[in-house]
């Protein structure tokens, strides 16, 4: 391998490490704000605390209101995983992502080509879990609305292509552009055959919002450190600083030779 190629791989790993560190810092800030808010509430009047608690419960339920409708073909516990690839593949890559998450986009930019290659070849099955972490950190509903739209695309059999379009057009982290359903429908025009009346209705009605909320709850319960979280056959590999697309491909190929 040439020195130029080695330097390029080192640079890519460094960029991914920086994005992961940014995500961890954002999560830490969010936890600090939550703790601070709890302290203020304790110092307030008991009646005020009761009102705040009641309102908080209503806010928490509002995102998950309505029936939980899993997208077509969803798999795994509670139907929270969107599968890509053949069920017969010997290896499974589990990916927890947020469409507003810059570190997730960095992961997609680096790893997407090899993931597509391996899933298309039947050597790897990818399972995508959708998360709304940035909505909590930065406020807004773009993570949720984009995840719902991606689930609508799954209903239409167009999830992989639309998933890629959403990351390719990801707005800056603080820009909640994906809260606009019109923007999500506009981007569907980049996927052949996706922009249909059924898809538009699914997006505008928030058909899968409760499913998205349940998916995020599963992420919280799993106590992952941030997004993206990437598991290879159940083992968290994205925290490994030596991981590269080439190494992932080698791991999949070795698994297929067993």
């Amino acid at each position: 391998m040439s020195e130029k190629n080695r330097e390029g791989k080192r640079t890519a790993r460094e960029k991914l490490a920086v994005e992961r560190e940014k995500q961890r810092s954002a999560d830490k800030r969010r936890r600090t704000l939550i703790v601070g808010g709890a302290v203020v509430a304790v110092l307030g009047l008991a009646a005020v605390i009761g009102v705040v608690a009641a309102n908080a419960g209503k806010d928490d339920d509002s995102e998950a209101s309505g029936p939980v409708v899993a997208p077509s073909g969803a798999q795994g516990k509670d139907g929270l995983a969107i599968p890509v690839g053949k069920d017969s593949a010997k290896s499974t890559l589990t990916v927890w992502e947020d469409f507003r998450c810059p570190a997730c986009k960095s992961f997609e930019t680096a790893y997407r080509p090899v993931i597509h290659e391996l899933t298309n070849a039947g050597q790897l099955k990818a399972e995508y879990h959708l998360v709304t972490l940035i909505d909590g950190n930065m406020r807004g509903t773009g993570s949720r609305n984009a995840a719902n739209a991606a689930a609508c695309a799954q209903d239409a059999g167009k999830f992989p292509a639309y998933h890629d379009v959403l990351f390719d057009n990801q707005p800056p982290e603080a820009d909640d552009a994906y809260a606009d359903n019109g923007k999500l429908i506009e981007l569907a025009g980049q996927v052949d055959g996706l922009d249909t009346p059924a898809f538009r209705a699914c997006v505008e009605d928030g058909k899968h919002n409760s499913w998205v909320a349940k998916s995020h709850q599963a992420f919280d319960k799993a106590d992952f450190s941030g997004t993206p979280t990437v598991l290879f056959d159940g083992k968290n590999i994205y925290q490994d600083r030596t991981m590269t697309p080439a190494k992932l491909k080698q791991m999949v190929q070795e698994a297929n030779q067993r």
Side-chain angles (χ1 to χ4, degrees):
M1 180 185 298
S2 69
E3 182 62 29
K4 183 177 180 181
N5 286 339
R6 281 195 293 270
E7 182 61 28
K9 290 190 174 182
R10 280 197 298 269
T11 300
R13 286 198 296 271
E14 289 170 359
K15 288 182 179 179
L16 293 174
V18 169
E19 292 293 353
R20 286 198 297 269
E21 186 58 36
K22 286 182 179 178
Q23 190 63 52
R24 281 194 290 269
S25 296
D27 294 343
K28 184 176 180 180
R29 289 195 300 271
R30 179 169 67 97
R31 288 193 293 270
T32 300
L33 288 172
I34 291 171
V35 171
V39 171
V40 172
V42 168
L43 295 175
L45 295 174
V48 174
I49 293 173
V51 171
V52 171
N55 288 338
K58 291 177 182 178
D59 288 343
D60 289 342
D61 290 342
S62 65
E63 183 173 320
S65 63
V68 175
V69 181
S72 177
Q75 298 179 352
K77 183 179 179 181
D78 296 326
L80 298 179
I82 295 180
V84 175
K86 296 181 179 178
D87 289 336
S88 59
K90 292 186 177 181
S91 297
T92 300
L93 192 73
T94 304
V95 184
W96 296 79
E97 291 182 317
D98 183 326
F99 287 111
R100 288 180 70 185
C101 163
C104 296
K105 181 174 182 177
S106 294
F107 167 76
E108 286 293 328
T109 299
Y111 284 82
R112 181 193 296 169
V114 73
I115 292 173
H116 281 343
E117 176 186 348
L118 295 169
T119 53
N120 290 339
Q123 297 181 1
L124 178 70
K125 178 183 177 183
E127 293 183 343
Y128 292 92
H129 294 257
L130 307 182
V131 180
T132 60
L133 195 62
I134 306 302
D135 282 357
N137 289 347
M138 307 296 295
R139 311 310 300 167
T141 60
S143 298
R144 184 199 66 186
N145 289 12
N148 171 67
C152 295
Q154 170 66 13
D155 287 340
K158 306 284 186 178
F159 173 81
Y162 189 62
H163 163 275
D164 292 353
V165 166
L166 287 176
F167 277 116
D168 288 343
N169 292 274
Q170 183 188 78
E173 186 177 13
D175 180 358
D176 196 23
Y178 283 171
D180 179 3
N181 286 330
K183 176 66 174 178
L184 297 170
I185 291 172
E186 176 188 335
L187 289 174
Q190 297 185 28
V191 179
D192 193 27
L194 178 57
D195 187 4
T196 64
F199 174 79
R200 289 182 173 227
C202 182
V203 171
E204 292 168 348
D205 295 344
K207 178 180 178 180
H208 300 295
N209 281 357
S210 294
W211 175 83
V212 173
K214 191 168 186 177
S215 178
H216 184 79
Q217 289 167 7
F219 175 81
D220 279 341
K221 289 178 182 178
D223 200 28
F224 293 128
S225 60
T227 52
T229 290
V230 185
L231 312 177
F232 179 74
D233 289 341
K235 180 181 178 182
N236 195 329
I237 62 169
Y238 199 57
Q239 294 177 336
D240 179 0
R241 294 296 181 88
T242 69
M243 185 58 58
T244 64
K247 184 175 180 179
L248 173 61
K249 183 176 181 178
Q250 181 181 358
M251 292 166 64
V252 172
Q253 291 176 334
E254 288 175 353
N256 277 273
Q257 291 173 358
R258 295 174 193 155

